[in-house]
Amino acid sequence: MFRTALRNVFAHKARLLMTAFAVMLGVTFISGSLVYGDSLNRAATARASAGFERIAVSVFPDDSRAGGARGGGPAGIDAAAVDTLAKVQGVTAAAGRVDGFAAVADREGRLIGHGPAHRGGNFAPGTDGKDPAYRFVQGSGPTGKDRIALDETTAAKGGYRIGDAVRVGTDQGAASYTLSGIFRTDGTQLPAGGSLTLFTGATAQELYLQPGRYQKIDLTAAPGTDVTQLLSRVEQVLPQGTGAATGARLAQIQVNLATSDSDTMSQILLGFAAVALFVATFLISNTFTMLVARRTRELALMRAVGASRKQVRRTLLTETLVVGAVASAVGLAVGTGVAALLQTVFAADDAPAAPLVLTPGTVIASVLVGTALPLVAAWLPIRRAMAIPPVAALSAAEHAPPARAGSLRTGLSAALVLCGAAATVYGAITTGKDARAVIGIGAALTLTGAIGFIPLLSRPFVAALQPLLTRFQPVYGDLAARNTVRDPRRTGATAAALAIALTLASGLSVLGASAAQYLDRATTHDFTADYLVKPADGAMRMTPATAEPLKKVPGIAFSPLNQSTGYHLAGAPSVLTGVDPATIGRLVRYDVVDGSLDRLAQGQIAVADFKARAAGWHVGQTLPLKRQDDQSGSVTIGAIYRADEQSNLLPSITAPDSLVARYDSTPHTDGILVAADGGPGRAALGSVTHALGDNPALAVLDEAAIRAQDSGSIGDQLNVFYALLSMALVIAALGIANTLAMSVLERRKEIGTLRALGVDRAGVTRMIRLEALLLGGLGATLGTVLGVFTGWALGRTLQESVVGYTLVIPWGRLAVGVLIALAGALLASLWPARRAARVDIPAATAAS
């Protein structure tokens, strides 16, 4: 029977090719995700732990002193502790470290690097004049206040050489320094994609902490020293308010942080791989349904000559296993290649590089998935075929029963659709803590029921389109419509694969478009200024002093948004945002519903309507104010204005900057609003940028840039998800091609008769293509409807916490999705249509 199974595989290799290809794509997705994730983890682990081997023990302030005055004393560790720790038995060197934010500009003034990893630190040479944390490839470490050293990658990106002037921005402002050296370092000092600037110890302390203070002290041990014993000796002489940990412990912490992102990426990839495999299940099941149906007489003859039902079943399952095993092996190889390609693509984004990691677990998972999936998908068609008595099978080939409204399958599907839809609507209306989980379960039930319901829906769907088809193609349109509904179950299984992909794509489109519109409104609706000044990558801390240079620019109105926390107004926790009362009305649109914004100049505050409503406040009310540092006073409400709770510009409480300064000497400045008398333009932009010190750490954004920055990331994420979903779309298209190809084989006599009656090859091709379009249209329509429904439900859960979020149906994007699905179906029909057009007329009409 095994030899029989192998002969059948080779005999039907063309028919099984699409199935093998679908399994291969699914396994490629799985293995590629696992290999890429493991490789990324290995690279991140190596980079995060590199360099910690040279640190035996690190000494650092405890949490109570990390922020300075909160611990009752100065921040950091006194420099005298370096000498004390250097004398501990087993310590060969003690290096005090201090670091903070430092952004480097290229020769055009643009920021070098990306993300928040713009770091600055101190060069801490030992008695030999070298710092073990850095290996200089050119020049040497900085020795003067006006000198710096740059990491090799940053220097190359900026085109800098030794002796060049480099513009560096910190929280204290921007300044130009002379480049004294270029170095290499490890992940303990330089995160991937960032930049690292070295200052002298005194300069770094002045910029980031206090003179004579360090944030940590790294200890190097003599060879052969037991690190655990060294830690015990260090703990005996630790300065008060400090703690210590071994380098190995710190390395493990960094590894855990570094691998979290790669773990998330792997999970996302595996999720989309599961979708692709789920779609492939329909293709495999459909293929074996048709193969078994065509071989009913053959299987019955095997039963008649003595083969048992179990033997025939094992033969068919062996065929499936062989196809799955071959496809798994090919998919594993291709998936490894895809992982290598992903590494190459993302290497441009400074992703850590490492050799590909192919673990035994990846091999086992890929082979198991690739072999088990076909077995599961083929089980039902094989079981159904084995239920046919040999005598009945020999007398006539089995015809798939039509979908009936009263069948058990239809009733169960209808129940699933109703229960799923009810659960989805319930989750959308209640918007409770578990609403999204309820919606997820409801959407899954609805989709599952709809898949089972598709055979029944195929008839009315085709009937609705049949008049349109027959109007433009009277003969071929009618034939295509009849052929499509000839076997509703086959049609439903083929369209279901496409429906799954379109459900996810259209649901993402609805959520993405709605979120983009909300963000656009939240960021620019209340913006009436010309520019918004923000940290370029969100890492720099701005203070009110950041905006002070703008006072010297003529024709400029500005106001910093000075956010101050730790307040209780009338017992309610509150955040005050200080603004310039003289200019804020020109820079931000306040829709005042009670009182007047002019009262800010009188020392009163303005409150957002949602805040006032929740606390029961009103205009003219005087509220007691108390801060966490025990400062107290009172404020009066001078105005109430409409605001979205999630607005990026309008705060919950607007206060005059003089009031905030009275209680908080170091508020955090979220941004600086700027308006020029002549409006935005190149001259105004240059004046603002130059006044701020040409600081590469600061971005001066106009309205278009704000919109692109805040909502552009959503489009980028959607494009990534669409690209991942394209795999499922490709498999669905393969399903259409396979269905049509098998249908052509079944209808050879019918097609030959049509050709004999005068239908030319172009007519046959047109008929097959119209069938493909009907299949694609059915799946695309159902998927789009379900996707919009699910997107609406999930969006409803956001409305409670995100005020101003409204449903947006992106008709254009949905239409593009449907057109792509139809184009894929049309492409999938090319090979079956070509085969149908080339049917041998005499041989086909003579076939029994």
Side-chain angles (χ1 to χ4, degrees), residues 319-358:
E319 295 177 23
T320 309
L321 190 63
V322 170
V323 171
V326 173
S328 298
V330 177
L332 180 60
V334 176
T336 305
V338 169
L341 179 63
L342 287 175
Q343 277 197 327
T344 303
V345 170
F346 287 108
D349 292 330
D350 296 312
L356 289 178
V357 177
L358 182 61

Side-chain angles (χ1 to χ4, degrees), residues 327-664:
S328 298
V330 177
L332 180 60
V334 176
T336 305
V338 169
L341 179 63
L342 287 175
Q343 277 197 327
T344 303
V345 170
F346 287 108
D349 292 330
D350 296 312
L356 289 178
V357 177
L358 182 61
T359 64
T362 298
V363 176
I364 293 172
S366 301
V367 172
L368 284 179
V369 168
T371 53
L373 180 66
L375 288 175
V376 172
W379 176 258
L380 186 60
I382 293 174
R383 183 175 180 275
R384 190 183 298 131
M386 292 300 97
I388 303 173
V391 175
L394 286 170
S395 61
E398 179 192 10
H399 297 282
R404 299 187 303 274
S407 68
L408 177 62
R409 172 189 174 123
T410 303
L412 182 60
S413 299
L416 287 174
V417 169
L418 291 175
C419 292
T424 303
V425 172
Y426 174 78
I429 293 176
T430 57
T431 62
K433 182 176 65 174
D434 300 323
R436 292 175 193 171
V438 173
I439 290 173
I441 295 173
L445 292 175
T446 304
L447 181 59
T448 304
I451 289 171
F453 219 56
I454 289 181
L456 199 66
L457 295 175
S458 61
R459 293 185 184 277
F461 179 82
V462 173
L465 293 180
Q466 193 167 2
L468 180 64
L469 293 176
T470 54
R471 179 178 179 180
F472 294 99
Q473 297 288 332
V475 176
Y476 309 119
D478 184 65
L479 287 173
R482 292 174 183 273
N483 291 331
T484 302
V485 297
R486 177 181 294 184
D487 189 340
R489 286 187 177 177
R490 180 187 303 175
T491 298
T494 305
L498 194 59
I500 295 170
L502 264 294
T503 297
L504 294 174
S506 55
L508 287 172
S509 296
V510 171
L511 287 174
S514 301
Q517 176 175 285
Y518 164 75
L519 284 177
D520 181 55
R521 176 181 176 85
T523 55
T524 61
H525 177 265
D526 303 315
F527 183 77
T528 57
D530 296 326
Y531 300 106
L532 174 63
V533 180
K534 296 181 65 176
D537 267 329
M540 176 182 174
R541 175 180 172 85
M542 295 198 306
T543 65
T546 307
E548 286 298 310
L550 292 175
K551 292 180 178 179
K552 301 177 182 179
V553 182
I556 291 290
F558 70 94
S559 174
L561 302 174
N562 299 323
Q563 188 179 87
S564 182
T565 60
Y567 294 90
H568 279 79
L569 294 182
S574 302
V575 176
L576 269 60
T577 300
V579 300
D580 183 351
T583 61
I584 192 63
R586 177 182 173 184
L587 304 171
V588 179
R589 181 183 294 108
Y590 279 86
D591 184 6
V592 178
V593 296
D594 193 10
S596 172
L597 201 65
D598 294 337
R599 296 178 184 175
L600 289 174
Q602 303 171 17
Q604 298 182 8
I605 63 173
V607 182
D609 54 353
F610 65 84
K611 179 77 172 179
R613 190 165 49 247
W617 297 340
H618 58 82
V619 170
Q621 183 176 358
T622 298
L623 306 174
L625 177 150
K626 186 175 182 180
R627 287 204 76 204
Q628 293 176 348
D629 55 8
D630 293 332
Q631 293 187 76
S632 60
S634 63
V635 293
T636 301
I637 299 176
I640 294 177
Y641 53 89
R642 289 192 181 93
D644 289 339
E645 193 167 351
Q646 303 297 322
S647 174
N648 289 357
L649 279 180
L650 286 179
S652 59
I653 300 178
T654 304
D657 48 14
S658 57
L659 176 65
V660 169
R662 186 187 313 163
Y663 295 98
D664 190 351

Side-chain angles (χ1 to χ4, degrees), residues 5 25 62 80 124 249 259 276 373-374 401 455 457 467 493 672 690-691 697 713 725 730 735 768 788 839:
L25 286 177
D62 60 22
R249 171 59 179 162
T259 56
L373 180 66
L457 295 175
I672 305 171
H690 184 67
S713 59
L725 283 174
V730 169
I768 299 298
V788 171
V839 165

